[in-house]
Amino acid sequence: MPATPAWPPKSLPRLYLAQALGKDTAVEIDGPQANYLSNVMRLGIGAEVLLFDGHSGEWLARIAEAAKKRMTLSVERQTRAPEAIPDVWLAFAPIKRTQIDWLVEKATELGAARLLPVITHRTIAERVKLDRLRSIAIEAAEQCGRTRLPEIVEPQPLTAFLGALERRLYFADENGGADVAVSFAPPPAAILIGPEGGFTDEERRAVRAHPLATAISLGPRILRAETAALAALATFMATAGDWAHKPG
Ligand code: SAM
């Protein structure tokens, strides 16, 4: 008996579209997405594509019309319902361009719900290019199978971040804290990572004074900020997020 192929096949191209998708709708694409489907993937009329809009899950669509720089896709059926991303935020002091790009890509793959650049005294990055970071998050979501994008918010000072925070905060403190492997409670939660130069003593005191803050240690070595962010997020997902075993 022939084996039943897994559905949907993993090799189908997967694209994010910033427009609402639904059964029997037609969507037009142009620019880099049309170029990707026709010139990179060499797909023509009748080919299948997976689409998601960040809200309604994932959809199977078929190329109905293909012009040089434009395509029409007809949406046929839903392949996945919207997923429940664990409500965990990653707050980080902006770092240099290559490292921040890497951080955003990997945090999206790991499942962060929201990314929050937080400006501290020793933050060195002059500007945070949110559009660029959002494009990186979209590409990562297309590649890893997420149906929801992480929200990437405007940079804010550490004091404003702490002032508005109403959820558990896990503060990665290279000076020491609770054992990360047993510290995390289920979401909602936020993780805070400092800049390359670390927090000032005053900032450290302010974070530790927050009633919902727990200082956590990520082991005996000093990690680069982006390594620390992803180590903390991965440990969160494994112990309290959606990698953790759910009884039953
Ligand atoms: N300049 C600081 C120093 O030399 O002490 C190191 C800062 S570290 C490069 C950047 C951030 O990563 C820290 O502020 C902290 O949030 C986090 N981090 C790095 N290693 C850590 C560890 N072992 N435990 C907890 N947090 C850590």
Side-chain angles (χ1 to χ4, degrees):
M1 204 168 134
T4 309
W7 189 261
K10 287 212 164 32
S11 55
L12 288 187
R14 199 169 177 277
L15 292 181
Y16 166 77
L17 292 186
Q19 55 184 295
L21 299 171
K23 191 169 157 42
D24 298 331
T25 54
V27 291
E28 294 228 333
I29 60 168
D30 54 17
Q33 291 186 317
N35 181 52
Y36 170 71
L37 292 184
S38 72
N39 298 326
V40 180
M41 300 303 291
R42 305 232 165 248
L43 298 179
I45 292 175
E48 294 177 330
V49 180
L50 294 172
L51 303 177
F52 65 106
D53 59 11
H55 303 284
S56 66
E58 181 187 80
W59 298 85
L60 182 77
R62 200 174 292 279
I63 299 175
E65 287 169 32
K68 233 179 174 182
K69 294 185 172 171
R70 211 175 180 79
M71 280 185 171
T72 306
L73 283 75
S74 76
V75 180
E76 295 189 345
R77 65 185 173 81
Q78 194 180 44
T79 47
R80 285 169 58 201
E83 70 200 307
I85 288 276
D87 187 9
V88 55
W89 299 354
L90 179 63
F92 58 94
I95 41 184
K96 287 186 196 140
R97 179 175 154 158
T98 319
Q99 284 95 328
I100 202 171
D101 290 358
W102 192 80
L103 183 154
V104 168
E105 179 182 281
K106 302 306 170 201
T108 304
E109 291 174 34
L110 291 171
R114 184 184 285 194
L115 302 176
L116 304 93
V118 168
I119 309 299
T120 66
H121 186 68
R122 295 185 183 141
T123 299
I124 43 147
E126 350 56 75
R127 266 198 326 131
V128 180
K129 294 189 174 155
L130 288 183
D131 284 351
R132 177 184 165 73
L133 297 185
R134 287 181 182 132
S135 307
I136 290 170
I138 286 172
E139 269 186 42
E142 288 174 340
Q143 171 272 318
C144 76
R146 276 181 78 144
T147 65
R148 290 188 196 277
L149 299 177
E151 191 185 352
I152 306 182
V153 303
E154 292 284 343
Q156 58 186 314
L158 178 65
T159 44
F161 168 74
L162 290 175
L165 196 75
E166 292 177 343
R167 55 177 55 212
R168 281 200 186 89
L169 175 65
Y170 298 102
F171 156 53
D173 189 351
E174 67 271 24
N175 286 4
D179 179 352
V180 72
V182 293
S183 296
F184 293 126
I191 295 168
L192 174 63
I193 305 293
E196 278 309 314
F199 291 102
T200 63
D201 288 343
E202 195 181 328
E203 288 172 336
R204 187 172 277 107
R205 272 196 297 276
V207 180
R208 283 180 173 257
H210 192 286
L212 295 173
T214 304
I216 52 167
S217 165
L218 298 169
R221 289 165 290 278
I222 303 288
L223 308 177
R224 298 274 295 256
E226 69 275 20
T227 316
L230 300 179
L233 189 54
T235 310
F236 185 95
M237 288 301 176
T239 56
D242 61 4
W243 303 359
H245 173 70
K246 307 257 184 322

